[in-house]
Amino acid sequence: MTIKQGDKLPDAVLMEMTGNGPEPRKTDDIFKGKTVALFAVPGAFTPTCSAKHLPGFVEKSEELHGKGVDDIVCTSVNDVFVMNAWGDSAKAGAKVRMLADGNGAFAKAMGLEMDASGFGMGERSKRYSMLVKDGVVEQLNVEDGGEFKVSSADYLLGQL
């Protein structure tokens, strides 16, 4: 079943690169007591994800924080090393947390997984953005197919 507005995020563990190496992050620790702009992409270093999606959230991070967002989180079905390298190349720094959903368990638990086998990518996450308040989905914007219309930072800003 696909997650919807008003639902609590499922319990899952994502991985984040730290100064001490990869470390697990429970969804409760990421979202509890915070307002978080969460967005997901089908793959790090892929064209739309690298040219538009991640850069948009990096560029709009101050505006999002100014509208009450405590944290901005990007997730993808990639390993933590790839997510870290992608964040570095996009100059995400402290603006966007890069969290790996290496096995796709988080995407699957939310019903937002997709089969990208036709592109040689296997199971991935759909492209989406959401606003999460204290672990509950307040806004959810899921793209159709290969589109990039409703999951952008600008679109989410318009919902705040």
Side-chain angles (χ1 to χ4, degrees), residues 51-73:
K52 297 178 183 176
H53 212 170
L54 176 55
F57 278 91
V58 171
E59 291 167 12
K60 301 291 182 175
S61 63
E62 286 184 32
E63 288 179 57
L64 286 160
H65 290 300
K67 294 220 175 191
V69 170
D70 298 309
D71 214 355
I72 303 167
V73 172

Side-chain angles (χ1 to χ4, degrees), residues 24-87:
R25 302 288 189 232
K26 294 179 182 176
T27 48
D28 249 10
D29 296 333
I30 299 164
F31 299 101
K32 189 174 184 177
K34 298 177 190 164
T35 299
V36 179
L38 169 66
F39 68 103
V41 299
F45 292 108
T46 56
T48 301
C49 307
S50 290
K52 297 178 183 176
H53 212 170
L54 176 55
F57 278 91
V58 171
E59 291 167 12
K60 301 291 182 175
S61 63
E62 286 184 32
E63 288 179 57
L64 286 160
H65 290 300
K67 294 220 175 191
V69 170
D70 298 309
D71 214 355
I72 303 167
V73 172
C74 174
T75 187
S76 182
V77 181
N78 287 107
D79 66 67
V80 68
F81 300 98
V82 169
M83 290 298 286
N84 185 60
W86 188 40

Side-chain angles (χ1 to χ4, degrees), residues 6-7 16 33 46-47 50 52 70 76 87-88 94 96 116-117 123 134 146 150:
D7 287 351
E16 184 172 31
T46 56
S50 290
K52 297 178 183 176
D70 298 309
S76 182
D88 286 348
V96 176
S117 296
E123 289 289 320
D134 195 24
V150 300

